[in-house]
Amino acid sequence: MGAGTEPDGSSRSDEEWERFLRESAAGAPGAPKEPSARAREVTARLRSEPGRGPEGWRGHTPPRPKRRTGWYVVGLLAALVLVAVALAPGRTGDLFAGTDSPSSAPETARPAQAPPRGADLRPTVEESFRGSPAASWASGAAGITVPEARAVGWMSATEVERALTRSRDFLVASGLDRGVLRGERPEKATALINPHQKDVQDLLRTAFRTPSERNDPLLLFSRFQPTRTRLVGDVVKTRGRLSYREGERGALLVTADVTFVYPVTRADTGGDDEIIRTIVRRELVLSWDDPTKVSTEPGTFSIVSYKYAMTNGGCGAPTGYLTPPFGRDHRTDEDGAEIDPYDRSTPIGRSKTPGPGDECARATRS
């Protein structure tokens, strides 16, 4: 029988010899001890090809599938989440606050619903926001989202960016400045308002001297009476955003919608007394007008509209200050509408959120 032939006279193909040699290398039963000339020829050819031959078969280690490791990690994280939910149902928002929870990510559009309710925990001096959705909100100006600027009307993209920054500066100066919160005049904020806007300038001239429902500093500024109320800590939580569009005569119209959460206590205590969170939401529309078409000054805006809603800010005649209801001052009747001060899913005036003159509505949570 010649090399490469079967007992019946047929010849083996190269592919069959290659399979035969693999089986022989693996010690298959019936493998010949001495390869034939045909086997030696095929073996020599296979060895001459890169990456082939018995050595290649034995020494080859297939690469590990890189994606599988990722799936193991994802599976582990999913298992941890399930354990967390089982151990602390209803607390997963607290577990992931500050990472990628919906209430900690910057607000770029109106939310579809109110933030979920967490555990009903009383605030303390050390944790003045615990038990509140504001616990995962950003602090100060960081909680006010400013959109990317593009050219609008008479303004270039660079000018729009500057106007957006100054619009946020106004919100900081009117609602976050420590001096203003302690009852001082909001000089930095008023300097940004168009001095030729008569109605607003009339409000500013009278509001601080003789506050009334029509001319009340609280319409634009957050202020506490220092002899009565003291802020707890150095942090005010905020959540909101700016948006913009083109208005009349090519003006840049900037809309602000921001909620401020102020933890406060009595001024005459050492900080261990009752802590209340006063919550103020403001909606403003500011017009950055073309000075060639409207009487204005460079770097200032006109106020088109302003609305605010507050809870735990006081009832009764305007005093020019937010007056949190400590102790017996808490409203106890059931006549006021119930509202969720953390619900930002609807504009002010289109929900049960109170406005000026309806400050005594009862908050479902604070």
mmCIF file of all heavy atoms in Angstrom, residues 265-300:
data_model
loop_
_atom_site.group_PDB
_atom_site.id
_atom_site.type_symbol
_atom_site.label_atom_id
_atom_site.label_comp_id
_atom_site.label_asym_id
_atom_site.label_seq_id
_atom_site.Cartn_x
_atom_site.Cartn_y
_atom_site.Cartn_z
ATOM 1 N N THR A 265 -33.010 78.741 62.043
ATOM 2 C CA THR A 265 -33.427 78.530 63.418
ATOM 3 C C THR A 265 -33.591 79.894 64.076
ATOM 4 O O THR A 265 -33.353 80.937 63.451
ATOM 5 C CB THR A 265 -32.381 77.683 64.179
ATOM 6 O OG1 THR A 265 -32.904 77.330 65.452
ATOM 7 C CG2 THR A 265 -31.073 78.432 64.355
ATOM 8 N N ARG A 266 -34.019 79.910 65.328
ATOM 9 C CA ARG A 266 -34.191 81.183 66.037
ATOM 10 C C ARG A 266 -32.840 81.859 66.226
ATOM 11 O O ARG A 266 -31.821 81.209 66.454
ATOM 12 C CB ARG A 266 -34.827 80.946 67.406
ATOM 13 C CG ARG A 266 -36.239 80.386 67.355
ATOM 14 C CD ARG A 266 -36.715 80.125 68.775
ATOM 15 N NE ARG A 266 -37.993 79.452 68.814
ATOM 16 C CZ ARG A 266 -39.164 80.082 68.825
ATOM 17 N NH1 ARG A 266 -39.207 81.406 68.798
ATOM 18 N NH2 ARG A 266 -40.291 79.394 68.877
ATOM 19 N N ALA A 267 -32.841 83.158 66.149
ATOM 20 C CA ALA A 267 -31.594 83.914 66.295
ATOM 21 C C ALA A 267 -31.073 83.906 67.721
ATOM 22 O O ALA A 267 -29.869 84.071 67.938
ATOM 23 C CB ALA A 267 -31.796 85.351 65.822
ATOM 24 N N ASP A 268 -31.961 83.728 68.698
ATOM 25 C CA ASP A 268 -31.564 83.855 70.099
ATOM 26 C C ASP A 268 -31.264 82.518 70.745
ATOM 27 O O ASP A 268 -31.362 82.358 71.961
ATOM 28 C CB ASP A 268 -32.652 84.579 70.892
ATOM 29 C CG ASP A 268 -34.001 83.873 70.792
ATOM 30 O OD1 ASP A 268 -34.082 82.888 70.042
ATOM 31 O OD2 ASP A 268 -34.947 84.323 71.459
ATOM 32 N N THR A 269 -30.899 81.486 69.945
ATOM 33 C CA THR A 269 -30.552 80.188 70.514
ATOM 34 C C THR A 269 -29.129 79.833 70.108
ATOM 35 O O THR A 269 -28.518 80.467 69.237
ATOM 36 C CB THR A 269 -31.492 79.085 70.011
ATOM 37 O OG1 THR A 269 -31.268 78.897 68.601
ATOM 38 C CG2 THR A 269 -32.938 79.446 70.265
ATOM 39 N N GLY A 270 -28.608 78.806 70.724
ATOM 40 C CA GLY A 270 -27.267 78.351 70.390
ATOM 41 C C GLY A 270 -27.229 77.407 69.214
ATOM 42 O O GLY A 270 -26.192 76.811 68.929
ATOM 43 N N GLY A 271 -28.327 77.251 68.504
ATOM 44 C CA GLY A 271 -28.367 76.386 67.338
ATOM 45 C C GLY A 271 -28.982 75.029 67.612
ATOM 46 O O GLY A 271 -29.094 74.204 66.702
ATOM 47 N N ASP A 272 -29.357 74.757 68.859
ATOM 48 C CA ASP A 272 -29.930 73.454 69.195
ATOM 49 C C ASP A 272 -31.454 73.485 69.218
ATOM 50 O O ASP A 272 -32.092 72.507 69.587
ATOM 51 C CB ASP A 272 -29.413 72.991 70.562
ATOM 52 C CG ASP A 272 -27.910 72.787 70.550
ATOM 53 O OD1 ASP A 272 -27.404 72.407 69.488
ATOM 54 O OD2 ASP A 272 -27.265 73.030 71.581
ATOM 55 N N ASP A 273 -32.031 74.616 68.868
ATOM 56 C CA ASP A 273 -33.483 74.754 68.907
ATOM 57 C C ASP A 273 -34.072 74.200 67.613
ATOM 58 O O ASP A 273 -33.394 73.586 66.784
ATOM 59 C CB ASP A 273 -33.839 76.227 69.093
ATOM 60 C CG ASP A 273 -35.260 76.409 69.606
ATOM 61 O OD1 ASP A 273 -35.953 75.395 69.853
ATOM 62 O OD2 ASP A 273 -35.676 77.562 69.750
ATOM 63 N N GLU A 274 -35.340 74.443 67.409
ATOM 64 C CA GLU A 274 -36.066 73.972 66.234
ATOM 65 C C GLU A 274 -35.432 74.503 64.946
ATOM 66 O O GLU A 274 -35.094 75.669 64.836
ATOM 67 C CB GLU A 274 -37.520 74.452 66.346
ATOM 68 C CG GLU A 274 -38.391 74.075 65.180
ATOM 69 C CD GLU A 274 -39.785 74.646 65.324
ATOM 70 O OE1 GLU A 274 -39.986 75.535 66.183
ATOM 71 O OE2 GLU A 274 -40.673 74.199 64.571
ATOM 72 N N ILE A 275 -35.304 73.616 63.970
ATOM 73 C CA ILE A 275 -34.783 73.990 62.652
ATOM 74 C C ILE A 275 -35.896 73.855 61.637
ATOM 75 O O ILE A 275 -36.587 72.836 61.559
ATOM 76 C CB ILE A 275 -33.588 73.103 62.259
ATOM 77 C CG1 ILE A 275 -32.422 73.351 63.209
ATOM 78 C CG2 ILE A 275 -33.158 73.385 60.816
ATOM 79 C CD1 ILE A 275 -31.251 72.427 62.965
ATOM 80 N N ILE A 276 -36.078 74.903 60.854
ATOM 81 C CA ILE A 276 -37.121 74.948 59.824
ATOM 82 C C ILE A 276 -36.458 75.200 58.482
ATOM 83 O O ILE A 276 -35.454 75.926 58.399
ATOM 84 C CB ILE A 276 -38.144 76.059 60.139
ATOM 85 C CG1 ILE A 276 -39.024 75.640 61.313
ATOM 86 C CG2 ILE A 276 -39.019 76.377 58.919
ATOM 87 C CD1 ILE A 276 -40.038 76.688 61.718
ATOM 88 N N ARG A 277 -37.014 74.614 57.442
ATOM 89 C CA ARG A 277 -36.530 74.906 56.095
ATOM 90 C C ARG A 277 -37.539 75.806 55.397
ATOM 91 O O ARG A 277 -38.670 75.408 55.121
ATOM 92 C CB ARG A 277 -36.321 73.604 55.312
ATOM 93 C CG ARG A 277 -35.110 72.815 55.776
ATOM 94 C CD ARG A 277 -34.841 71.612 54.911
ATOM 95 N NE ARG A 277 -35.795 70.553 55.143
ATOM 96 C CZ ARG A 277 -35.523 69.414 55.802
ATOM 97 N NH1 ARG A 277 -34.315 69.229 56.288
ATOM 98 N NH2 ARG A 277 -36.440 68.488 55.960
ATOM 99 N N THR A 278 -37.117 77.022 55.113
ATOM 100 C CA THR A 278 -37.931 77.949 54.333
ATOM 101 C C THR A 278 -37.598 77.722 52.865
ATOM 102 O O THR A 278 -36.430 77.759 52.472
ATOM 103 C CB THR A 278 -37.636 79.412 54.720
ATOM 104 O OG1 THR A 278 -37.999 79.606 56.094
ATOM 105 C CG2 THR A 278 -38.423 80.373 53.849
ATOM 106 N N ILE A 279 -38.632 77.492 52.056
ATOM 107 C CA ILE A 279 -38.426 77.131 50.649
ATOM 108 C C ILE A 279 -39.054 78.197 49.764
ATOM 109 O O ILE A 279 -40.245 78.495 49.884
ATOM 110 C CB ILE A 279 -39.040 75.753 50.349
ATOM 111 C CG1 ILE A 279 -38.475 74.720 51.331
ATOM 112 C CG2 ILE A 279 -38.770 75.341 48.912
ATOM 113 C CD1 ILE A 279 -39.245 73.433 51.371
ATOM 114 N N VAL A 280 -38.237 78.781 48.889
ATOM 115 C CA VAL A 280 -38.697 79.855 48.001
ATOM 116 C C VAL A 280 -38.394 79.452 46.564
ATOM 117 O O VAL A 280 -37.253 79.115 46.233
ATOM 118 C CB VAL A 280 -38.001 81.190 48.318
ATOM 119 C CG1 VAL A 280 -38.505 82.292 47.378
ATOM 120 C CG2 VAL A 280 -38.235 81.591 49.775
ATOM 121 N N ARG A 281 -39.420 79.490 45.739
ATOM 122 C CA ARG A 281 -39.230 79.248 44.302
ATOM 123 C C ARG A 281 -39.506 80.536 43.549
ATOM 124 O O ARG A 281 -40.511 81.214 43.804
ATOM 125 C CB ARG A 281 -40.165 78.140 43.822
ATOM 126 C CG ARG A 281 -40.015 77.832 42.323
ATOM 127 C CD ARG A 281 -40.982 76.766 41.875
ATOM 128 N NE ARG A 281 -40.935 76.562 40.437
ATOM 129 C CZ ARG A 281 -41.795 75.804 39.762
ATOM 130 N NH1 ARG A 281 -42.772 75.182 40.397
ATOM 131 N NH2 ARG A 281 -41.675 75.670 38.450
ATOM 132 N N ARG A 282 -38.608 80.877 42.626
ATOM 133 C CA ARG A 282 -38.740 82.123 41.866
ATOM 134 C C ARG A 282 -38.736 81.852 40.364
ATOM 135 O O ARG A 282 -37.942 81.046 39.877
ATOM 136 C CB ARG A 282 -37.601 83.079 42.210
ATOM 137 C CG ARG A 282 -37.590 83.516 43.663
ATOM 138 C CD ARG A 282 -36.602 84.656 43.901
ATOM 139 N NE ARG A 282 -36.581 85.039 45.306
ATOM 140 C CZ ARG A 282 -37.456 85.852 45.874
ATOM 141 N NH1 ARG A 282 -38.425 86.382 45.133
ATOM 142 N NH2 ARG A 282 -37.381 86.151 47.164
ATOM 143 N N GLU A 283 -39.627 82.560 39.676
ATOM 144 C CA GLU A 283 -39.638 82.577 38.218
ATOM 145 C C GLU A 283 -39.490 84.018 37.756
ATOM 146 O O GLU A 283 -40.271 84.880 38.157
ATOM 147 C CB GLU A 283 -40.936 81.979 37.663
ATOM 148 C CG GLU A 283 -41.061 80.478 37.841
ATOM 149 C CD GLU A 283 -42.329 79.923 37.208
ATOM 150 O OE1 GLU A 283 -43.055 80.696 36.541
ATOM 151 O OE2 GLU A 283 -42.607 78.726 37.380
ATOM 152 N N LEU A 284 -38.484 84.272 36.953
ATOM 153 C CA LEU A 284 -38.207 85.619 36.453
ATOM 154 C C LEU A 284 -38.015 85.573 34.944
ATOM 155 O O LEU A 284 -37.480 84.596 34.412
ATOM 156 C CB LEU A 284 -36.923 86.177 37.082
ATOM 157 C CG LEU A 284 -36.884 86.418 38.586
ATOM 158 C CD1 LEU A 284 -35.445 86.617 39.035
ATOM 159 C CD2 LEU A 284 -37.716 87.647 38.929
ATOM 160 N N VAL A 285 -38.432 86.622 34.271
ATOM 161 C CA VAL A 285 -38.121 86.806 32.857
ATOM 162 C C VAL A 285 -37.380 88.130 32.729
ATOM 163 O O VAL A 285 -37.909 89.184 33.115
ATOM 164 C CB VAL A 285 -39.382 86.798 31.974
ATOM 165 C CG1 VAL A 285 -38.999 87.020 30.510
ATOM 166 C CG2 VAL A 285 -40.144 85.483 32.133
ATOM 167 N N LEU A 286 -36.155 88.073 32.230
ATOM 168 C CA LEU A 286 -35.289 89.244 32.127
ATOM 169 C C LEU A 286 -35.036 89.555 30.658
ATOM 170 O O LEU A 286 -34.777 88.648 29.860
ATOM 171 C CB LEU A 286 -33.961 88.980 32.835
ATOM 172 C CG LEU A 286 -34.049 88.362 34.238
ATOM 173 C CD1 LEU A 286 -32.651 88.071 34.777
ATOM 174 C CD2 LEU A 286 -34.822 89.264 35.174
ATOM 175 N N SER A 287 -35.099 90.821 30.310
ATOM 176 C CA SER A 287 -34.903 91.241 28.923
ATOM 177 C C SER A 287 -33.608 92.039 28.793
ATOM 178 O O SER A 287 -33.456 93.095 29.413
ATOM 179 C CB SER A 287 -36.089 92.089 28.445
ATOM 180 O OG SER A 287 -35.920 92.485 27.097
ATOM 181 N N TRP A 288 -32.699 91.492 27.996
ATOM 182 C CA TRP A 288 -31.463 92.199 27.684
ATOM 183 C C TRP A 288 -31.677 92.909 26.351
ATOM 184 O O TRP A 288 -31.634 92.304 25.297
ATOM 185 C CB TRP A 288 -30.297 91.215 27.612
ATOM 186 C CG TRP A 288 -29.970 90.593 28.937
ATOM 187 C CD1 TRP A 288 -30.528 89.492 29.504
ATOM 188 C CD2 TRP A 288 -29.011 91.083 29.869
ATOM 189 N NE1 TRP A 288 -29.973 89.249 30.736
ATOM 190 C CE2 TRP A 288 -29.025 90.200 30.988
ATOM 191 C CE3 TRP A 288 -28.110 92.159 29.880
ATOM 192 C CZ2 TRP A 288 -28.193 90.377 32.098
ATOM 193 C CZ3 TRP A 288 -27.282 92.328 30.976
ATOM 194 C CH2 TRP A 288 -27.326 91.448 32.072
ATOM 195 N N ASP A 289 -31.951 94.196 26.449
ATOM 196 C CA ASP A 289 -32.415 94.968 25.295
ATOM 197 C C ASP A 289 -31.266 95.606 24.517
ATOM 198 O O ASP A 289 -30.201 95.920 25.073
ATOM 199 C CB ASP A 289 -33.383 96.058 25.754
ATOM 200 C CG ASP A 289 -34.621 95.493 26.426
ATOM 201 O OD1 ASP A 289 -35.291 94.655 25.800
ATOM 202 O OD2 ASP A 289 -34.902 95.877 27.581
ATOM 203 N N ASP A 290 -31.531 95.823 23.247
ATOM 204 C CA ASP A 290 -30.605 96.543 22.372
ATOM 205 C C ASP A 290 -30.648 98.023 22.754
ATOM 206 O O ASP A 290 -31.693 98.669 22.630
ATOM 207 C CB ASP A 290 -31.044 96.346 20.919
ATOM 208 C CG ASP A 290 -30.087 96.982 19.925
ATOM 209 O OD1 ASP A 290 -29.225 97.778 20.348
ATOM 210 O OD2 ASP A 290 -30.219 96.676 18.724
ATOM 211 N N PRO A 291 -29.539 98.596 23.253
ATOM 212 C CA PRO A 291 -29.553 99.996 23.697
ATOM 213 C C PRO A 291 -29.832 100.989 22.576
ATOM 214 O O PRO A 291 -30.151 102.149 22.844
ATOM 215 C CB PRO A 291 -28.155 100.198 24.287
ATOM 216 C CG PRO A 291 -27.319 99.131 23.681
ATOM 217 C CD PRO A 291 -28.224 97.975 23.443
ATOM 218 N N THR A 292 -29.749 100.545 21.311
ATOM 219 C CA THR A 292 -30.084 101.444 20.210
ATOM 220 C C THR A 292 -31.590 101.502 19.967
ATOM 221 O O THR A 292 -32.068 102.356 19.212
ATOM 222 C CB THR A 292 -29.382 100.998 18.912
ATOM 223 O OG1 THR A 292 -29.897 99.720 18.506
ATOM 224 C CG2 THR A 292 -27.872 100.902 19.119
ATOM 225 N N LYS A 293 -32.337 100.611 20.627
ATOM 226 C CA LYS A 293 -33.783 100.555 20.416
ATOM 227 C C LYS A 293 -34.584 100.776 21.695
ATOM 228 O O LYS A 293 -35.769 101.107 21.636
ATOM 229 C CB LYS A 293 -34.165 99.198 19.813
ATOM 230 C CG LYS A 293 -33.524 98.925 18.457
ATOM 231 C CD LYS A 293 -33.881 97.546 17.943
ATOM 232 C CE LYS A 293 -33.219 97.273 16.595
ATOM 233 N NZ LYS A 293 -33.529 95.911 16.096
ATOM 234 N N VAL A 294 -33.958 100.550 22.864
ATOM 235 C CA VAL A 294 -34.652 100.653 24.147
ATOM 236 C C VAL A 294 -33.777 101.442 25.107
ATOM 237 O O VAL A 294 -32.548 101.323 25.083
ATOM 238 C CB VAL A 294 -34.955 99.257 24.733
ATOM 239 C CG1 VAL A 294 -35.605 99.370 26.111
ATOM 240 C CG2 VAL A 294 -35.863 98.473 23.791
ATOM 241 N N SER A 295 -34.394 102.253 25.962
ATOM 242 C CA SER A 295 -33.638 103.016 26.964
ATOM 243 C C SER A 295 -33.120 102.062 28.034
ATOM 244 O O SER A 295 -33.898 101.544 28.860
ATOM 245 C CB SER A 295 -34.532 104.094 27.605
ATOM 246 O OG SER A 295 -34.911 105.057 26.641
ATOM 247 N N THR A 296 -31.856 101.824 28.032
ATOM 248 C CA THR A 296 -31.226 100.933 29.005
ATOM 249 C C THR A 296 -29.771 101.334 29.158
ATOM 250 O O THR A 296 -29.282 102.221 28.452
ATOM 251 C CB THR A 296 -31.349 99.459 28.562
ATOM 252 O OG1 THR A 296 -30.873 98.614 29.605
ATOM 253 C CG2 THR A 296 -30.557 99.198 27.302
ATOM 254 N N GLU A 297 -29.101 100.710 30.090
ATOM 255 C CA GLU A 297 -27.685 100.956 30.306
ATOM 256 C C GLU A 297 -26.913 99.666 30.053
ATOM 257 O O GLU A 297 -27.420 98.571 30.308
ATOM 258 C CB GLU A 297 -27.434 101.437 31.745
ATOM 259 C CG GLU A 297 -28.048 102.790 32.063
ATOM 260 C CD GLU A 297 -27.437 103.922 31.247
ATOM 261 O OE1 GLU A 297 -26.224 103.831 30.935
ATOM 262 O OE2 GLU A 297 -28.164 104.866 30.917
ATOM 263 N N PRO A 298 -25.688 99.779 29.534
ATOM 264 C CA PRO A 298 -24.901 98.572 29.268
ATOM 265 C C PRO A 298 -24.744 97.724 30.523
ATOM 266 O O PRO A 298 -24.528 98.237 31.617
ATOM 267 C CB PRO A 298 -23.551 99.134 28.806
ATOM 268 C CG PRO A 298 -23.865 100.498 28.282
ATOM 269 C CD PRO A 298 -24.981 101.010 29.136
ATOM 270 N N GLY A 299 -24.888 96.412 30.350
ATOM 271 C CA GLY A 299 -24.716 95.498 31.475
ATOM 272 C C GLY A 299 -25.914 95.378 32.393
ATOM 273 O O GLY A 299 -25.813 94.770 33.463
ATOM 274 N N THR A 300 -27.058 95.962 32.008
ATOM 275 C CA THR A 300 -28.261 95.860 32.831
ATOM 276 C C THR A 300 -29.409 95.252 32.015
ATOM 277 O O THR A 300 -29.395 95.269 30.791
ATOM 278 C CB THR A 300 -28.712 97.227 33.367
ATOM 279 O OG1 THR A 300 -29.174 98.052 32.273
ATOM 280 C CG2 THR A 300 -27.568 97.926 34.096
#
